[in-house]
Amino acid sequence: MARTSQRSGAARERLLAVALDLFARYGISGTSLQMIADELGVTKAAVYYQFQTKEEIVRAVIAPALDDLTKVTEAAEAQRRRADRLETILSGLVDLIVNNRRLAAIMQADPAIGHLTTSHPAMQALYDRITRLLAGSGSDAETLISTVMVSGGLMIVGADPRLAHIDDDTLRRHLLGTARRIMRLRPPAHSKR
């Protein structure tokens, strides 16, 4: 039984990896379940065995990143000082974007995935929590504009093909430095970034 479960888990992971690759090449709307099956060398029924719809596949592809985003948000909310909350959320967002560059590109380029994530009430609540962490209690124009620039800008930069040649550590360092400057946050004394 354990061996069957392992094979099923491996098949699922392979399917998700293939789906991510096809989504990156053709977009979500341009990728069919049949294309996924063909790329895997299986029947469409084998894909249906794992997932009933393409939407389920999309949700499974983005689930690990959303789980990480939730953890980063919770870690930031647990900080007592505003500067620590801001540092935690900025560092976490930057790490998430750098570690998921392909997914960021898909999310940026394909409106279907944006709709799937923003239309879900739990996702909207998570985005609201992140906005509160970035903006703090400030609702003035400068704070709100800075917040939108940082949150939206990180996604765009992570997805930009002109930066694909930049290694992860360099990208991470510059993204975090720029985000800190926009948010007027000094790096922590112990920070190497």
Side-chain angles (χ1 to χ4, degrees):
M1 184 72 167
R3 182 174 282 163
T4 302
S5 177
Q6 287 175 335
R7 269 188 266 135
S8 179
R12 177 183 166 90
E13 292 306 311
R14 184 165 175 257
L15 188 151
L16 293 176
V18 165
L20 178 63
D21 183 54
L22 290 171
F23 294 159
R25 283 192 272 162
Y26 304 109
I28 292 167
S29 301
T31 302
S32 68
L33 292 176
Q34 186 62 57
M35 290 169 70
I36 294 169
D38 291 346
E39 190 78 15
L40 287 167
V42 300
T43 64
K44 195 170 170 182
V47 174
Y48 278 122
Y49 179 75
Q50 297 288 335
F51 298 97
Q52 295 300 304
T53 65
K54 184 169 53 172
E55 184 176 308
E56 285 182 23
I57 295 172
V58 172
R59 288 188 194 280
V61 165
I62 65 174
L66 294 179
D67 289 345
D68 290 345
L69 183 59
T70 300
K71 289 174 188 169
V72 165
T73 303
E74 290 168 352
E77 289 171 336
Q79 301 298 317
R80 297 186 81 189
R81 294 182 37 229
R82 164 128 171 83
D84 294 337
R85 286 190 301 274
L86 196 50
E87 180 63 34
T88 301
I89 195 67
L90 287 177
S91 296
L93 289 173
V94 166
D95 286 343
L96 192 61
I97 292 296
V98 171
N99 294 337
N100 295 281
R101 289 167 96 168
R102 284 183 71 203
L103 184 57
I106 294 166
M107 291 182 77
Q108 190 63 33
D110 198 317
I113 200 166
H115 175 72
L116 277 175
T117 57
T118 57
S119 66
H120 194 278
M123 282 307 307
Q124 190 57 55
L126 182 59
Y127 292 149
D128 291 345
R129 289 166 61 195
I130 293 166
T131 299
R132 280 192 299 275
L133 284 164
L134 290 171
S137 59
S139 59
D140 60 283
E142 182 180 8
T143 301
L144 292 175
I145 290 168
S146 297
T147 297
V148 171
M149 283 183 68
V150 166
S151 59
L154 288 174
M155 259 320 247
I156 291 169
V157 169
D160 196 310
R162 294 173 294 181
L163 305 178
H165 69 283
I166 297 176
D167 68 89
D168 288 352
D169 289 337
T170 301
L171 181 62
R172 182 177 283 110
R173 186 176 64 253
H174 287 289
L175 284 177
L176 190 53
T178 301
R180 283 178 179 141
R181 282 191 300 278
I182 291 171
M183 298 305 293
R184 297 182 180 191
L185 179 68
R186 292 178 191 216
H190 64 280
S191 177
K192 294 180 183 176
R193 297 189 215 182

